Amino acid sequence: MINCIGVLTSGGDAPGMNACIRAVVRTAMARHLQVKAINQGFDGVMNCDFKDLQARDVGGIIQQGGTILQTARCKEFYTPEGQDKGLKNLRYGGIDAVIVIGGDGSMRAAMALHERGFPVIGVPASIDNDIWGTNMAIGVDTALNTIVEAIDKLRDTASSHKRAFLVETMGRRCGYLAVMTGVIGGAEMVLIPEVDTPLEDVAETIAEAYARGKTHAIVIVAEGARFNATAVAEYLDKNAAALQTRVTILGHIQRGGRPTAYDRLLAARFGVKAVEALSEGAMGQMVAQTGREVALVPLAEVTSRQRGANLDYYRMGKMLAK
Ligand code: F6P
C-alpha cells in the first residue's frame, strides 16, 4: 500500500521539470497521498535529504525552467552498495514509492530500484530526446525553440556578411536536436553522431550552396559528431580559405528558459499519469508519449536501448536545403 511518494529530478535539468513536479504533487493531493521532495537527485537519496511537499510549495513554478528540487549526477547510486544504502534510506524516510524525473541515466537508476523490489515510475525529461520508448521527453520542445531562435538570428548576420556559421548543439551521443533544428531552421547541412560525414563534404556542400546563389550557410554540428564545430571550422579555414566561417557553441543556454506550452502540457500529462500509475499498482514503468497517448513502457525495455536521431528527417532536411 502506497501512502507516501518521493519525487526527485536527476541528471541534466530540462525546462518543464517544475511543471511536472507540480503535477505530481497536486495529483497526489487529489488522491490523498503524501509527497516528499528528494532534493538533488539520487544524492538526496544517499543523504536522506527529504522534505514534505504540500500543494502551496509548488505554486508559481509552472513557468520556471530548471528544477526547484535541484538535480545531480550521483556516482554512488550506480554501485550495488550505494543502491542498498539508498533503499534503506528511502524506507527509513517513510517513502513507499519514488517518481524519478530525468534522462536515460536516471531511468537506469530507477531500474536499479525496481530490480530491488522498490515501487518506482520514471518520467522522461532530457533535452537530448535520446530515451528509448517515448516520442518526446520533457524539455525537448523548449530546447528546439531556443536553438531555432538562435539560428534565425545567426542567419541574419550570416547573410549580411556571406558567412558560413557552424552552430554546435547539445545532445550527447544523439543527433535529434541537430536534425530537427536543421529541418525547422533551414540549415544547409547537419553533422550528427549517427552519420559519419567527411570534412571534404562540408566544404563541398557550402561551396555548392553559394554557387546556387545562397548568401549564407548554416551548418549544425551535434555534440558527439565525429568532428566538433571548432574542428570543422579549422578544416575549412585551412582547406577552403575563400569561405568566411564563424563558430557558435550554444551550450547550456539550450537547457534553460521558460518551458513552452507543449512542454508544460507534456509535463502535466506525465506527472498525472505517473501518480495514477503508482496508485493503481504499476511498478518499474516509465510514462511515455506514444502517438497521441500517454502510456506506460517497462523500464527494462527503456534501459535496453538508446534512441538515435530519425534519419528520415535527416534526409528531409538535406532535400529541403537545396
Ligand atoms: O543530457 C543533457 C546534456 O545537456 C547533454 O546534451 C550534454 O552532453 C550534457 O547534458 C552536459 O552535461 P553537464 O551539464 O554536466 O555539462
Side-chain angles (χ1 to χ4, degrees):
M1 171 92 172
I2 289 169
N3 291 312
C4 175
I5 298 175
V7 59
L8 64 82
T9 49
S10 157
D13 61 352
M17 279 181 161
N18 281 328
C20 188
I21 296 164
R22 173 182 178 272
V24 165
V25 172
R26 302 267 169 96
T27 310
M29 302 285 121
R31 292 186 170 236
H32 309 291
L33 296 167
Q34 197 193 340
V35 183
K36 284 197 179 178
I38 303 172
N39 292 311
Q40 300 198 333
F42 285 91
D43 278 354
V45 174
M46 305 317 294
N47 307 325
C48 289
D49 192 351
F50 311 139
K51 198 182 127 219
D52 285 340
L53 271 183
Q54 307 295 343
R56 295 280 67 74
D57 296 326
V58 292
I61 64 168
I62 197 168
Q63 79 288 7
Q64 289 174 7
T67 161
I68 58 160
L69 301 181
Q70 299 197 295
T71 181
R73 302 187 202 272
C74 176
K75 290 214 175 82
E76 195 181 356
F77 197 79
Y78 285 100
T79 65
E81 300 74 31
Q83 289 159 10
D84 289 342
K85 180 177 158 191
L87 203 63
K88 261 194 216 151
N89 289 352
L90 288 170
R91 293 200 167 120
Y92 174 76
I95 294 171
D96 307 314
V98 171
I99 293 177
V100 175
I101 306 170
D104 66 338
S106 309
M107 294 308 119
R108 281 197 296 279
M111 179 66 187
L113 277 180
H114 171 61
E115 283 172 338
R116 283 171 156 70
F118 194 81
V120 60
I121 295 285
V123 176
S126 161
I127 65 161
D128 301 339
N129 216 18
D130 58 349
I131 305 166
W132 185 258
T134 186
N135 289 337
M136 282 298 262
I138 294 169
V140 175
D141 187 63
T142 308
L144 289 175
N145 279 283
T146 301
I147 298 167
V148 164
E149 195 186 333
I151 293 172
D152 290 349
K153 288 178 176 167
L154 291 172
R155 181 184 288 103
D156 290 346
T157 175
S159 290
S160 306
H161 290 266
K162 204 173 180 191
R163 280 178 174 158
F165 268 80
L166 301 151
V167 185
E168 192 167 296
T169 54
M170 276 188 167
R172 221 157 25 124
R173 290 181 297 274
C174 175
Y176 178 91
L177 289 175
V179 165
M180 292 315 205
T181 52
V183 173
I184 57 188
E188 273 53 58
M189 192 175 200
V190 170
L191 307 182
I192 53 174
E194 293 86 346
V195 177
D196 193 18
T197 310
L199 290 172
E200 303 83 69
D201 286 12
V202 183
E204 215 172 280
T205 303
I206 298 173
E208 279 171 13
Y210 286 161
R212 288 198 306 278
K214 292 206 177 190
T215 53
H216 65 265
I218 302 282
V219 177
I220 303 182
V221 185
E223 180 184 12
R226 183 166 154 212
F227 303 100
N228 65 21
T230 309
V232 178
E234 276 167 11
Y235 171 86
L236 294 175
D237 290 347
K238 257 197 210 137
N239 298 282
L243 300 179
Q244 267 199 54
T245 60
R246 291 290 185 274
V247 173
T248 300
I249 297 171
L250 295 177
H252 288 77
I253 277 181
Q254 297 161 93
R255 287 235 300 260
R258 294 160 66 91
T260 57
Y262 182 95
D263 268 330
R264 293 186 206 189
L265 186 60
L266 190 68
R269 295 177 79 202
F270 278 178
V272 170
K273 181 78 176 178
V275 175
E276 283 176 358
L278 273 180
S279 49
E280 283 157 19
M283 289 191 209
Q285 308 281 321
M286 182 185 81
V287 298
Q289 194 194 43
T290 55
R292 284 166 177 258
E293 306 304 317
V294 172
L296 295 177
V297 181
L299 280 169
E301 189 184 329
V302 169
T303 53
S304 67
R305 296 184 65 174
Q306 196 183 357
R307 192 175 164 202
N310 182 331
L311 296 185
D312 288 339
Y313 284 108
Y314 175 83
R315 286 185 280 270
M316 180 197 283
K318 240 182 171 177
M319 179 187 73
L320 296 179
K322 293 294 177 212

